[in-house]
Amino acid sequence: MINAILVFNNHGKPRLVRFYRHLAEEAQQQILRDTFHMVLRRDEHVCNFLECGSLFGSPDCKLIYRHYATLYFVFCVDSSESELGILDLIQVFVETLDKCFENVCELDLIFHMDKPGRILGWKCPPVMSRMELQIAGLCAGGGAGPIRPSCLLVHYILQEVVIGGMVLETNMNEIVAQAEAQSKLEKAEVSGSVWGLERGAQVWAQGRLGSGYHAGASVLWGGGRRELVALRVSQPAHPQGKAHRVGAPHWGVQGAASMQVLLCCQG
Amino acid sequence: MALKMVKGSIDRMFDKNLQDLVRGIRNHKEDEAKYISQCIDEIKQELKQDNIAVKANAVCKLTYLQMLGYDISWAAFNIIEVMSASKFTFKRIGYLAASQCFHEGTDVIMLTTNQIRKDLSSPNQYDTGVALTGLSCFVTPDLARDLANDIMTLMSHTKPYIRKKAVLIMYKVFLKYPESLRPAFPRLKEKLEDPDPGVQSAAVNVICELARRNPKNYLSLAPLFFKLMTSSTNNWVLIKIIKLFGALTPLEPRLGKKLIEPLTNLIHSTSAMSLLYECVNTVIAVLISLSSGMPNHSASIQLCVQKLRILIEDSDQNLKYLGLLAMSKILKTHPKSVQSHKDLILQCLDDKDESIRLRALDLLYGMVSKKNLMEIVKKLMIHVDKAEGTTYRDELLTKIIDICSQSNYQYITNFEWYISILVELTRLEGTRHGHLIAAQMLDVAIRVKAIRKFAVSQMAMLLDNAHLIASNTQRNGICEVLYAAAWICGEFSEHLEEANQTLEAMLRPKVTTLPGHIQAVYVQNMVKLYASILQQKEQAGEKEAAQEITQLMIERLPQFVQSADLEVQERASCILQLIKYIQKLQVKEVPVAEEVIALFAGELNPVAPKAQKKVPVPEGLDLDAWINEPPSDSESEDEKPKTIFHDEEQRHSKPRHPEMDEEELARRREARKQEQANNPFYIKSSPSPQKRYQDTPGVEHIPVVQIDLSVPLKVPGMPMSDQYVKLEEERRHKQKLEKDKKKKKQKKEKRGKHHRHNSLHTESEEDIAPAHHVDIITEEMPENALPSDEDDKDPNDPYKALDIDLDKPLADSEKLPVQRHRNAEALKTPESEVPPVEKKSKKPKKKEKKHKEKEKDKGKKKEKEKKVVEEEEEEKKEEDLDFWLSTAPPPGSAAQPQSGPQTSAAVASEPEGVKKEEREEQQEEEEEDEGKKSSKHKKKKHKKEKEEKSKDKKKSKKKHHHSEEEMAESVQNGTLDDEPLPPMSSYRLLAENPYIKTTYDIQGNLQNDSQVTVSVIFENKSTSFLKSMELNVLDSLNTKMLRPEGSSVHDGIPVPFQLPPGISNEAQFVFTLQSIVMAQKLKGTLSFIVKNDEGSTHEKLDFKLHFSCASYLITTPCYSDAFAKLLESGDLHMSSIKVDGISISFQHLLAKICFHHHFSVVERVDSCASMYSRSIQGHHVCLLVKKGENSVSIDGKCSDPTLLSNLLDEMKETLSKC
């Protein structure tokens, strides 16, 4: 059984916390901190196993971890899991993340960390590895809709690999296929048709503007990331609200920002 | 300005999405908590809105906050709302949040049952998938009970994606709702052979988890897993299966034997390190389970150790670590094979990786022997000096102590050396383990009498140099050793040479800076010291010196009287007064030493840590009963005594029993003493203190471990353990020389025979005699201590509930609950109407059978035959595992024919039969209703079957009557397992020459009444390579070897392998026979080619293959009622034998008969047992074995008289060897 899966960065900031048996939040954070300190103490090029009897209260517990650039991937497992098997699994998981994030060049940086000279010549990529940013939820990952930032995506991908503490699938292609199929399903719900997307956008805009406003949106072209959306916002007080066109190269942050600007002008 | 304000308000109007939240947290590094609490307020507002998208967004943010450690359980209801959204996007968010924060204590979770059921049955596989995933994290016993049936249906979903998830979730369901395991197990088993590898892997995964906790229930799956192991190419599955086998082998040694070969093959063939490692691990587990008396597995051990060495030598630290880990497992059973790699392991101590160093240390723990202990500890001491971090140094320290003190100081040959090691360790700065060293010092000094003198001198030196140890006291843990030093010097002060000096050292003002508890010991022990000095001086007649020492005490003690520590103060003032009194007496020139010494007379013996717990409660003692009746209710609170002593007074004031006269009292006292003397549970009081004045009687009864003697060594000054190492080496060298001399003499006498043996022997352990005559006093235990050791079991183990017999058939009461809708509005799901599972799964099969029958010939006979065969097959099912295992050669050792699984299977089989019958009846009735078209002959058959059934029912009723007997039987069988049986091997020697040794065993073949299988183990004893082996026998009329088609009677059968030197392997040959009533002997030849450096030669080995009658028998369990019927039937012939001079226990005797003659015990009462077996041709053999004083009589009944008499003859032979 896998007791927990933790992903955190070099500063101990959690990026993914998944416990497979219930623990109170404080206890989870304590384990996270302890794990971070234990893992941080270790040099590069030492073995990837750590005995941590005290951590979960059972002697039959081991930390198996891998360190990629700025991220630590730690699995807490008991004796029924094969140590080397879990190491492979972490690799599979990370590679899957790579595939699902559609962001090959950044991952090149991560995977070739051991040969820094070959790629860029510096030890730690100054971009701080886009992948971490993605996992942190700052960038919109794989064809994001308005309410699906990538830190959830990491969870969703993990759910295709491990459920309930047991390994579900180890075949990367299968994992990617299932994750993508579900992404598509989500996309279809948001932008199944052009007008479907509009409804989604409307809902979203309404959410953002509060119930006092009416909003309407239409997609002018494209789907996925580079939609051009026309959004009309009207206030009941001014029934003849104007229609505005909003370019949204990225549906997430920037779209919101430009809309803010728009509303400001209106105000 | 206005613009800014507007912007601000709009800002607030905009709900943040998750990305904004993450960014916001980043931008508010200084006041993160404040920002987040603000965000949570916003989220609370959002959750109040009706729009599901807004809610989902809010829940999404909550999930993120949960990861940061914020409690979000207050939003549980909103999470459920989002879970029930119709859109997948939202649903997924809801389930994710639920999986992160729901648990058994979440009260709203019960609201989810219907929603989850709906999602599980959704036409969209991803809705189902998401629900399953979520469920896996928050399933509660209620949810498990309500949804078990739905999930089980999903195990047969068309999409493998759902199937594999459902299979995995079943494990969680089992954990929460153990009752579901039995009904669901058949389907889970089916999934092991699912066409989709993912599903298969999931099923393996679940069964492995289950079996890890309760392996014995899953033994019957071994053949299936074995098949999977040999057929699967998925390394993940293989690893799991191999790990599972590792858990199963300890329960069934025969399984292990069967595994060795495929595992070895995998080890040779696989390139995946993970697989290789797990294989090695399981081979080790197998070897451990077979450990005793398996000489021919040394090759496997060698292979494992060899592979592990490669792993340890690898540059990959992970492999190194795992190699060491696995090595430590081998160590437990085969220490010799690991010890040869000591160099490698010591090398690992220098590794920069702490995990690896710790593993290496663990290994060292098991590698020490008397011979190398000093050397290893010396190396460790060097590491202690070199170690940088205190944690690792502390670890080293504890390991050194562990290594030395393990199994009662078994490996220490020189305790002076050990004491000096301990003293050296005290020089470690900043260690936390001072108390550990102190405990060792105390333990050794107390338990090893011979060392006391030396220990005392060392401790005196420590006390003298206390300033070195306690220099920066308080947080320095090492000063704990002073505690031990002071105590030892005080307690064994008679050994002290310079007692005065030590006393002065203890009275130094610096001592008052030590921790209180140590000072207290100082104070107490300085009196002991003082007492012995006093005695010394008085005996020597030096009165003045005695008074001087008293004066010294009186001068110095006040510093302790002023101590802030209560204990020190109290002891010191008490002792000060005592000494002042002594002074008075001394002035009067009264000899006082005797009386002062008496204060500390008597020996302190070590008491086992568990001793108190093990004191049995005497019969008739009720610890919960009141000694004095509790005060009656009328005595209210305020009347109760307020002081502690008041109670006493009150009791006195209570009316007493009428005064007993002296005589009565004396009589009662006498009676009580008598009773105590007779009562084994009464712990007699130790001899009264007066008696102890002299030379401590009563020490003699302490069990003492004797170790032989030689002259103790003396090393002056502060000891250096290194000196001891050198001295010890010299001593051993001398010893060895002496022994060699002796041996040479012996050699001359017995040259040749023991040649090889001797050369190995010179290094062996026994040669090293310890330097001391050492009595290690073992720890005392109370009389009649309970031997059981149940302290470590956790009664709250959740896996205990899953310890369920899976082979028993399902009872109606065990069906999974199916949700029935009470309110009509609830959505109807197809699953809710699914009939209970086992009916569903059984029914179609049954129908299939019928269909086939219909389609097939309508001839009655054939159908009947088929029916019979089918029934028989069902019967046989239980024996499957056994049979599967028995086709493999049984292990050479410790195969207990009555081991757990068999008996449990046996017990299970009867009710199964009955219940199956009942079920069949039910189904047939249904079928009759279904279609009345069935042909006439079918009806007839029904009738017949029903007749049979009624018979069976009678049987079952009878069984009821017998239930008491059965209880007795099971108890008897239970006791069989208690005593360990001596190792037995069914393999007999076939033939032997300098090149090869062959042993064989014969087993009947259940499937074929005229075949037996002969398993022959070939062991290459030579240093050459053996190949082209061919085995041939001269067939008799009755018994013939089964040869491949087309070959003549004179052709031999090639043995399908070659034998490198020292290797053994096994081949099987099938023989056909006609009559089995007589034993048979067949002559045969084994021809082979010996190949070595000088060339190859052709060799032959003749043998006689003995087919005993017992080898035609197959161990078949039988029930007492069936057994009784069989005997009643009267068509059995009877015969009996009697063997005298039997000394082995009845249990061993039965085990022997069971093992060598393939019988099973039907019933056992005291020293009388009935046994049963069946031949491959269906002869019933019943035995009644009775044990007298020194003899055993066996009455046998069998359908064939010749067979019986032959069998009894064979048995006589076996027994006479006992």
Side-chain angles (χ1 to χ4, degrees), chain A residues 24-252:
Chain A
E25 274 76 16
E26 304 90 74
Q28 293 188 359
Q29 292 299 310
Q30 187 59 45
I31 287 181
L32 189 74
R33 276 193 297 273
D34 291 351
T35 312
F36 171 64
H37 288 302
M38 283 167 81
V39 169
L40 194 71
R41 267 210 316 257
R42 296 177 64 79
D43 304 334
E44 295 292 326
H45 311 299
V46 297
C47 72
N48 296 349
F49 313 119
L50 256 175
E51 279 139 76
C52 59
S54 55
L55 211 56
F56 275 84
S58 71
D60 182 28
C61 174
K62 226 173 239 178
L63 295 182
I64 299 174
Y65 72 97
R66 271 183 189 271
H67 188 195
Y68 295 97
T70 58
L71 287 177
Y72 284 97
F73 288 76
V74 185
F75 280 46
C76 307
V77 302
D78 67 16
S79 64
S80 71
E81 300 296 337
S82 146
E83 290 90 345
L84 294 171
I86 293 292
L87 271 184
D88 283 353
L89 187 70
I90 299 179
Q91 183 72 23
V92 166
F93 180 46
V94 173
E95 282 181 37
T96 311
L97 289 181
D98 165 29
K99 282 201 172 176
C100 292
F101 281 130
E102 302 164 353
N103 223 337
V104 185
C105 53
E106 288 131 26
L107 281 148
D108 248 4
L109 287 178
I110 291 167
F111 285 125
H112 296 99
M113 261 313 285
D114 47 343
K115 302 163 206 150
R118 214 194 70 189
I119 296 176
L120 284 173
W122 52 55
K123 189 139 196 243
C124 190
V127 253
M128 188 214 152
S129 119
R130 185 74 71 80
M131 181 155 154
E132 201 210 325
L133 284 174
Q134 284 194 349
I135 293 176
L138 279 175
C139 296
I147 46 165
R148 199 176 129 269
S150 51
C151 87
L152 296 191
L153 186 63
V154 183
H155 266 291
Y156 295 150
I157 293 168
L158 181 64
Q159 285 178 353
E160 299 305 319
V161 184
V162 177
I163 59 173
M166 283 176 292
V167 180
L168 175 71
E169 185 58 69
T170 52
N171 179 346
M172 196 173 18
N173 295 333
E174 173 74 13
I175 300 167
V176 172
Q178 297 297 354
E180 277 179 352
Q182 292 178 64
S183 293
K184 262 188 205 152
L185 188 64
E186 280 195 346
K187 271 187 209 165
E189 277 179 348
V190 182
S191 62
S193 66
V194 171
W195 302 110
L197 176 65
E198 188 212 5
R199 268 203 304 283
Q202 197 172 353
V203 163
W204 174 77
Q206 223 162 33
R208 292 205 153 203
L209 297 174
S211 50
Y213 294 86
H214 293 300
S218 55
V219 175
L220 296 188
W221 60 270
R225 254 187 232 188
R226 297 190 201 289
E227 310 109 342
L228 192 62
V229 181
L231 187 71
R232 195 182 63 235
V233 183
S234 61
Q235 238 180 330
H238 308 278
Q240 61 275 56
K242 290 179 212 161
H244 292 272
R245 292 174 75 218
V246 179
H250 274 276
W251 181 241

Side-chain angles (χ1 to χ4, degrees), chain A residues 1 14-18 20 22 25 28-29 42 45-49 51 60 62 78-85 87 89 136-138 146-147 149 151-152 155-156 159-160 163-164 166-170 174 178 181-182 185-186 189 203 207-209 213 253 259-260 263-264, chain B residues 7 13-15 17-20 22-23 26 51 53-54 57 60 64 66-71 87-90 92-93 96 99-100 103 124 126 133 136-137 161 164-165 168-169 171-172 205 209 212 236 239-240 243 273-274 277-278 317-319 321-322 325 352-353 355 359:
Chain A
M1 280 278 278
R15 293 294 173 238
L16 175 97
V17 177
R18 171 84 270 188
Y20 289 105
H22 176 70
E25 274 76 16
Q28 293 188 359
Q29 292 299 310
R42 296 177 64 79
H45 311 299
V46 297
C47 72
N48 296 349
F49 313 119
E51 279 139 76
D60 182 28
K62 226 173 239 178
D78 67 16
S79 64
S80 71
E81 300 296 337
S82 146
E83 290 90 345
L84 294 171
L87 271 184
L89 187 70
L138 279 175
I147 46 165
C151 87
L152 296 191
H155 266 291
Y156 295 150
Q159 285 178 353
E160 299 305 319
I163 59 173
M166 283 176 292
V167 180
L168 175 71
E169 185 58 69
T170 52
E174 173 74 13
Q178 297 297 354
Q182 292 178 64
L185 188 64
E186 280 195 346
E189 277 179 348
V203 163
R208 292 205 153 203
L209 297 174
Y213 294 86
V253 186
M259 205 156 56
Q260 278 179 27
L263 286 166
C264 285
Chain B
K7 196 186 168 199
M13 269 193 311
F14 265 88
D15 297 328
N17 68 10
L18 179 51
Q19 286 153 31
D20 303 332
V22 175
R23 175 163 295 199
R26 281 210 166 192
N51 191 329
V54 177
N57 185 37
C60 193
Y64 185 80
Q66 196 271 344
M67 181 174 82
L68 299 183
Y70 290 86
D71 177 28
K87 273 193 181 171
F88 174 70
T89 319
F90 302 145
R92 205 182 186 191
I93 290 171
L96 176 63
S99 74
Q100 290 285 57
H103 54 93
N124 179 353
Y126 291 114
T133 311
S136 74
C137 293
Y161 177 72
K164 68 184 175 193
K165 283 198 171 187
L168 281 184
I169 278 112
Y171 176 66
K172 296 277 169 175
N205 219 332
E209 276 303 326
R212 199 162 67 93
W236 283 92
I239 286 175
K240 279 281 170 191
K243 265 189 168 281
M273 273 302 180
S274 46
Y277 173 68
E278 294 305 337
Q317 297 282 319
N318 291 329
L319 298 182
Y321 172 86
L322 293 176
L325 196 66
K352 60 180 186 303
D353 189 345
S355 302
R359 286 278 136 241

Side-chain angles (χ1 to χ4, degrees), chain B residues 715-830:
Chain B
V715 180
M718 209 55 163
M720 280 300 294
S721 52
D722 288 359
Q723 292 171 297
Y724 286 99
V725 177
K726 268 182 214 153
L727 284 168
E728 182 72 11
E729 269 165 18
E730 280 168 28
R731 187 179 69 84
R732 282 181 191 173
H733 187 65
K734 264 187 213 163
Q735 269 184 359
K736 211 173 125 184
L737 283 180
E738 279 169 33
K739 285 222 168 152
D740 282 354
K741 269 183 204 165
K742 275 184 200 166
K743 258 178 213 156
K744 268 177 199 163
K745 277 181 196 168
Q746 284 174 349
K747 258 189 200 170
K748 275 175 195 168
E749 287 160 23
K750 311 178 188 176
R751 191 178 282 171
K753 252 193 185 176
H754 291 281
H755 188 73
R756 215 201 292 165
H757 217 72
N758 266 339
S759 62
L760 287 172
H761 209 71
T762 45
E763 294 274 292
S764 82
E765 295 237 325
E766 298 89 307
D767 282 8
I768 303 163
H772 285 250
H773 178 91
V774 180
D775 297 340
I776 299 176
I777 303 168
T778 52
E779 290 163 332
E780 282 187 329
M781 280 293 235
E783 293 171 73
N784 303 304
L786 304 164
S788 63
D789 231 342
E790 349 56 24
D791 333 64
D792 307 327
K793 279 181 188 164
D794 178 13
N796 298 325
D797 185 3
Y799 306 103
K800 237 184 191 173
L802 286 179
D803 189 357
I804 296 169
D805 186 354
L806 296 164
D807 298 327
K808 261 194 256 169
L810 277 176
D812 278 354
S813 58
E814 282 181 299
K815 285 170 193 165
L816 285 180
V818 178
Q819 186 82 11
R820 305 249 178 251
H821 292 286
R822 264 149 276 166
N823 48 348
E825 300 123 69
L827 269 159
K828 273 187 187 170
T829 59

